[in-house]
Amino acid sequence: MTPPADAVAPVRHPDAPAPGELLGAHYEHCFGCGGGQPHGLHLEARAGEGVRVTAEFTVRPAHQGAPGLAHGGVLATALDETLGSLNWLLRVIAVTGRLETDFVRPVPVDTVLYLEAEVTAVAGRKIYSTAVGRIGGPDGPVAVRADALFIEVKVDHFIDNGRPEEIRAAMADPDQVRRARAFEVNP
């Protein structure tokens, strides 16, 4: 995915979490990062320098496709969740518009997948980013990589399209940051 010629370099928001800070779940029931999903990824992302994040998740037996190996859709979800976390550093609400994924090597069950992602460019409401997932740690072999295009949206996108009971529950949260983060990365 190539940004247009008029794209600009991303700018980290001054109120973004500090480098090294755990970003936490954007929504308790998110399959990617939420603790309320028993078979979810429970992916943990940390703010990096600039507009970068790192994340990790352990492939569990519930995540397998072929015997003993991670399901490709689960790996794509991990990439999407990590890439979506970047938007918190920009302090924008954005949804996945396009996700191009390359599966380089199989990822066995009980493997820790280490992910790194960064925003590469911004063009209006379009946010271009890239990620790589490595087996076992930051120097491990590359297993997956992705390029993504996120589109900035207003919170109305979720209010108009989400299930009313979940929307009401999220909007009723007295914690303003947690309330805003609930609508951070879901399509």
Side-chain angles (χ1 to χ4, degrees):
M1 245 173 283
T2 305
D6 63 344
V8 298
V11 177
R12 182 188 188 99
H13 193 279
D15 295 330
E21 188 175 328
L22 185 64
L23 299 180
H26 75 93
Y27 178 56
E28 180 67 14
H29 300 288
C30 173
F31 180 80
C33 65
Q37 292 290 343
H39 298 296
L41 304 185
H42 303 150
L43 185 134
E44 293 188 342
R46 290 190 180 278
E49 297 291 333
V51 190
R52 296 173 181 243
V53 298
T54 60
E56 291 184 6
F57 92 97
T58 301
V59 178
R60 302 286 179 211
H63 303 144
Q64 53 191 319
L69 297 174
H71 189 287
V74 168
L75 298 176
T77 300
L79 288 161
D80 186 46
E81 187 69 30
T82 303
L83 289 157
S85 296
L86 289 164
N87 298 314
W88 190 240
L89 302 180
L90 299 172
R91 297 298 290 260
V92 299
I93 298 171
V95 296
T96 310
R98 184 177 181 102
L99 178 68
E100 294 178 1
T101 307
D102 295 314
F103 300 97
V104 179
R105 71 177 66 238
V107 179
V109 168
D110 295 326
T111 296
V112 174
L113 190 66
Y114 179 85
L115 300 121
E116 296 175 313
E118 69 175 313
V119 176
T120 58
V122 177
R125 294 177 43 228
K126 295 179 178 179
I127 302 163
Y128 295 84
S129 53
T130 189
V132 64
R134 297 175 179 273
I135 294 175
D139 297 321
V142 173
V144 292
R145 55 175 78 96
D147 292 312
L149 169 64
F150 280 79
I151 309 297
E152 185 176 353
V153 297
K154 302 296 179 200
V155 75
D156 292 351
H157 169 86
F158 302 98
I159 294 168
D160 294 344
N161 296 293
R163 211 163 63 160
E165 52 269 30
E166 277 88 358
I167 298 298
R168 280 192 298 274
M171 294 297 283
D173 191 325
D175 183 317
Q176 184 178 19
V177 171
R178 196 168 51 226
R179 185 172 57 239
R181 287 204 66 199
F183 301 102
E184 185 175 67
V185 295
N186 292 325

